[in-house]
Amino acid sequence: MYFGADEAGKGPVLGPMVAACVVAPEAALPDGIDDSKRLAPVRREALAASLRAHPDVTLGVARIPVARIDAPGTDMNSLTVAAHAEAIADAGVPGRGLSGFVDAGDVDAARFGRRVAAALDAPVEVRPEHRADETYPHVAAASVVAKVERDARVARIAEEYGEVGSGYPSDPTTRAFLREYVREHGALPACARSSWKTCDDVLAAAEQSSLDAF
C-alpha cells in the first residue's frame, strides 16, 4: 500500500492553498483517476466522493489559509512543503511504515522530498517527482481531493462576495472583483492574498484613480 500527496491553489490570489494525501491499496482507487487538471469538475467531484466513501481509502487534508500565506518571513515553497507534510500527517502515514509519492513543488524535486520528510514526526519514505499526478494514481487521487476541496472553498468565497471567478490572477473576473471591491471599500477583501503582486497592482490603480479625481 502506498500514499500519494499533491496540492491545489498554490498560485491563486484568492483563498487558501489545499493539500491532500491519499492512502490506499491501488485496487481501491476508482477507475478513471487522473490528474485533476485533466478532469471536468463534475467528474472530479464524483471521484472525490468515491474516494471518501471507500472503506480501504484514508484521506488527509491540509489547508493553508490566506493569513498564513501573507505572514511575513514565509514563502510559497516552504508553505507547499508544510502543506504536503501536514496532509501526510493528517492521513496517519507517519509510523505506518508506508512509502509514497509527492508531486514536487520545487524546481529541485529531491530537495522538496527531503524537506517534506524532515517536516514529519516519524521517518517516512517520500519519493518526489515533477508531474507525479500524471504518473502515479495515488498522487492523481490526491490532486483530485485537493482540487475539489479548493473549489469548495472558492465557492464559499463566492457565496459571501458574489462572482469572484477562479481566483487566479490571470482571470479577468477575479481581477474585476478585486478592483470593484477596493473601489467600494478602500481595502482588499479578507479572502485576498495581500502579498500577491496582483493585489499591489489593484491598490496602486485605485490610489492613482483617486489622485486623478482631484
Side-chain angles (χ1 to χ4, degrees):
M1 184 157 60
Y2 292 95
F3 72 84
D6 199 3
E7 91 286 328
K10 186 176 181 180
V13 67
L14 301 181
M17 175 169 62
V18 178
C21 176
V22 173
V23 183
E26 189 161 344
L29 298 178
D31 292 337
I33 203 75
D34 199 354
D35 170 16
S36 62
K37 295 184 290 296
R38 297 176 174 175
L39 300 170
V42 171
R43 181 61 179 154
R44 287 197 297 262
E45 291 168 9
L47 288 169
S50 177
L51 288 163
R52 289 186 179 281
H54 199 292
D56 295 330
V57 176
T58 302
L59 303 182
V61 175
R63 302 167 190 87
I64 308 297
V66 167
R68 190 171 170 189
I69 292 170
D70 286 336
T74 192
D75 62 85
M76 286 307 294
N77 278 348
S78 295
L79 289 172
T80 305
V81 167
H84 278 242
E86 289 168 22
I88 292 168
D90 190 54
V93 170
R96 294 179 63 181
L98 300 176
S99 64
F101 302 91
V102 298
D103 192 15
D106 187 334
V107 293
D108 186 332
R111 176 174 61 194
F112 184 81
R114 289 194 300 270
R115 293 183 71 190
V116 171
L120 295 166
D121 292 336
V124 173
E125 184 180 2
V126 176
R127 306 180 190 182
E129 287 191 25
H130 293 128
R131 292 191 286 276
D133 51 359
E134 299 176 7
T135 305
Y136 301 104
H138 288 78
V139 181
S143 79
V144 167
V145 173
K147 177 62 174 168
V148 168
E149 174 65 16
R150 157 75 191 174
D151 286 350
R153 296 282 164 158
V154 174
R156 291 179 197 173
I157 292 171
E159 288 176 2
E160 180 176 356
Y161 293 96
E163 181 57 61
V164 298
S166 66
Y168 280 85
S170 59
D171 187 337
T173 302
T174 297
R175 297 180 74 91
F177 158 68
L178 288 171
R179 286 195 301 269
E180 285 300 308
Y181 190 93
V182 170
R183 183 187 64 77
E184 183 175 348
H185 299 278
L188 292 163
C191 61
R193 301 179 184 180
S194 60
S195 55
W196 255 229
K197 184 178 183 301
T198 305
C199 289
D200 290 339
D201 292 345
V202 168
L203 291 172
E207 182 177 358
Q208 184 60 51
S209 178
S210 296
L211 292 173
D212 292 344
F214 286 102

